[in-house]
Amino acid sequence: ITSLPTNAILWQKWADLEKGLGNYEVARRLFARSEQANAYLPALYSSWGRMEMDAGNADAARAHFTRGLRRCRSPISVRLLQDMALLESRQGELPRARKLLERAIALEPRNAYAYHSLAVVDYKEGRFAEARENLETAVAWQPGHTLSWLTRAQMEEMRGHVDMARKIYRRALGLDSTTEGRQSAVQLWQAWARMEEKAGRGADAVWIYKRALAAHPSDAMLYCNFGDLQAARGEVASARKLFAQGLKQDSSCALLYQRAAALEVSQGDTAAAKALYRSGVQAASYPRAKRTRQQREAVGHLVHTWAMFEWRRGRIAKSRSLFERAVKQLPSSGWIWMWFGHFEYATTKDGALARHYFSKSINADPKSGQPWRAMADLERDLGNEHRARFCFRRACYLDSSRQLADIDPSRPL
């Protein structure tokens, strides 16, 4: 930057780094510097708009995408069309999303991601035949498009067609003679195993995880998920071994420590559980400046689980200190504030403090009905029936409106 202060790509890459670390205000300033250096860079508007979209700032995201589409017209940026379609889909504007995606496909007829996004819009509108057709087109053009295979299989599973979903996983992973999928993406193995587990076919899920680990022996999350399955099946020694193997692959994986500790709690070994919580928080707590948002969230989950563990043991002061650490770790995570509110009201009956924490939860996650439901229960317990009814109605509205909004073109179903 010092040597090339007018290089827009360098400014954008720096902004992307800050975005990944969750430093949104810094990222905004850097994106603005990038735009000053080159106002015709599609990737700039895409990255900036996606950051605002993920932060819940729909109007700001729309403004960035629109500005990018207006300025980057030779050629028109298909990426920005897809970004705008994703935003409109999340906002429930499905006809607008469809038009944008159809325009993207007209410009790039072999764009698997655009076909996938259009299929999700079809699914949200109840056009299941069209959704299947678009997903089949996506994998026809790009056989290794994991997202489309996942959505195709999950769509059939959600529709109750488990046998069809099973065939799709086999196609995607090349387990049949056609080797159609030409890939072995770990996400496909995991999704298939979870489906079989939910269907009560634990032995089949074990077989799938073993095949997956043969293909991906260094994937820590595979060991974690396989360990969870074995723990649920009562195979405690196997679960312990899998968690330990996973930690050998990634000694900083907070979720593995969390699952291993939960196993020890279930076996009544509180000393081992506490040691795992302590070791996990220490191993996963990189210096803040070096942690991604996902890593911070994983550590926050681990600290929260440790706080709940101490609460159940009756160690109130220790639990409170861990809750304080968790909300400091993730101050914008509504669910942690909500549980902190539950904890304070259960242990101190301090309704004002619990209300304050529930309000923080609502502000952090305004589209979730859970903190409103928690607030309703609190107000009812405090004798404020009118407030309780208002909060409960708000919770019901948010829960019902969130169901379709959670189906996202950028993710599997």
Side-chain angles (χ1 to χ4, degrees):
I1 291 292
T2 303
S3 302
L4 299 169
T6 60
N7 189 313
I9 295 175
L10 284 177
W11 285 108
Q12 186 210 320
K13 294 299 182 183
W14 187 0
D16 288 339
L17 174 64
E18 297 294 345
K19 179 177 75 170
L21 293 171
N23 302 326
Y24 290 165
E25 287 302 324
V26 177
R28 288 184 183 102
R29 292 196 293 271
L30 294 169
F31 280 129
R33 290 294 300 270
S34 178
E35 187 175 13
Q36 290 174 4
N38 184 354
Y40 301 94
L41 191 65
L44 157 68
Y45 299 105
S46 174
S47 185
W48 195 354
R50 277 182 167 266
M51 182 187 78
E52 298 295 355
M53 179 167 53
D54 292 340
N57 304 322
D59 291 340
R62 186 176 286 107
H64 295 316
F65 293 148
T66 301
R67 196 162 67 256
L69 286 167
R70 187 173 64 246
R71 290 176 175 171
C72 309
R73 300 181 64 84
S74 293
I76 294 172
S77 172
V78 171
R79 181 176 178 178
L80 282 170
L81 288 172
Q82 292 176 173
D83 289 336
M84 182 72 94
L86 174 59
L87 174 65
E88 299 297 358
S89 177
R90 288 184 179 180
Q91 294 298 303
E93 299 290 345
L94 299 181
R96 290 184 190 175
R98 177 179 298 281
K99 287 181 181 179
L100 288 161
L101 291 168
E102 288 172 348
R103 187 179 176 192
I105 289 170
L107 292 167
E108 290 186 6
R110 298 190 179 191
N111 187 323
Y113 183 84
Y115 279 107
H116 171 269
S117 298
L118 186 55
V120 173
V121 172
D122 286 329
Y123 185 85
K124 292 172 78 170
E125 292 183 329
R127 300 163 57 146
F128 304 119
E130 291 86 346
R132 290 188 184 96
E133 182 179 349
N134 280 314
L135 290 169
E136 288 292 341
T137 302
V139 298
W141 287 125
Q142 190 176 332
H145 197 246
T146 301
L147 189 59
S148 291
W149 285 113
L150 277 172
T151 299
R152 180 77 174 88
Q154 290 173 354
M155 183 178 75
E156 298 301 343
E157 181 187 358
M158 291 170 70
R159 299 278 293 161
H161 307 150
V162 177
D163 286 339
M164 178 60 73
R166 197 171 285 125
K167 290 177 182 177
I168 291 164
Y169 283 122
R170 295 187 68 87
R171 282 177 56 199
L173 291 164
L175 297 182
D176 295 324
S177 58
T178 59
T179 63
E180 187 169 356
R182 304 177 192 172
Q183 60 167 334
S184 182
V186 67
Q187 300 95 327
L188 288 163
W189 290 108
Q190 289 172 321
W192 185 10
R194 283 193 292 268
M195 184 189 79
E196 299 296 2
E197 184 180 0
K198 286 189 291 184
R201 298 166 61 119
D204 288 346
V206 168
W207 178 85
I208 292 165
Y209 275 124
K210 287 180 177 179
R211 289 291 299 265
L213 283 171
H216 302 277
S218 62
D219 192 287
M221 289 308 301
L222 270 179
Y223 290 100
C224 185
N225 294 335
F226 194 4
D228 283 342
L229 171 66
Q230 293 296 70
R233 299 177 73 228
E235 301 287 345
V236 175
S238 174
R240 266 199 198 100
K241 182 179 178 180
L242 286 162
F243 292 141
Q245 288 175 315
L247 287 170
K248 285 182 180 179
Q249 300 301 324
D250 184 359
S251 62
S252 65
C253 181
L255 187 59
L256 271 165
Y257 287 103
Q258 184 178 331
R259 295 291 196 264
L263 176 65
E264 298 306 337
V265 170
S266 72
Q267 297 303 301
D269 193 341
T270 57
K274 187 174 180 179
L276 283 163
Y277 284 128
R278 184 180 290 111
S279 298
V281 170
Q282 183 177 0
S285 295
Y286 312 98
R288 184 174 179 85
K290 295 182 179 180
R291 274 180 274 161
T292 65
R293 182 176 59 185
Q294 290 80 7
Q295 287 170 331
R296 287 201 301 275
E297 288 176 352
V299 175
H301 277 270
L302 180 60
V303 174
H304 165 260
T305 307
W306 188 2
M308 297 292 290
F309 167 74
E310 298 293 359
W311 181 10
R312 295 188 188 100
R313 295 177 67 208
R315 301 187 65 199
I316 303 305
K318 178 64 175 178
S319 181
R320 181 175 288 109
S321 71
L322 288 167
F323 272 115
E324 289 169 350
R325 183 172 180 175
V327 296
K328 185 178 180 180
Q329 183 84 26
L330 295 175
S332 60
S333 289
W335 64 271
I336 290 184
W337 284 109
M338 183 181 69
W339 276 106
F340 202 179
H342 283 307
F343 166 80
E344 288 296 352
Y345 191 63
T347 56
T348 68
K349 292 300 178 182
D350 189 336
L353 184 57
R355 187 184 290 119
H356 175 62
Y357 289 160
F358 290 152
S359 296
K360 280 182 169 289
S361 178
I362 289 168
N363 290 334
D365 191 0
K367 294 183 180 180
S368 173
Q370 285 189 326
W372 283 100
R373 203 174 298 277
M375 186 77 88
D377 291 339
L378 172 67
E379 297 296 353
R380 182 161 289 143
D381 200 58
L382 294 173
N384 303 321
E385 186 62 28
H386 180 71
R387 284 185 182 178
R389 288 178 181 175
F390 171 80
C391 293
F392 183 72
R393 286 195 299 270
R394 183 65 180 165
C396 291
Y397 168 77
L398 289 170
D399 287 344
S400 62
S401 62
R402 193 167 186 170
Q403 289 178 358
L404 275 180
D406 282 346
I407 300 176
D408 194 317
S410 67
R411 303 190 299 266
L413 298 180

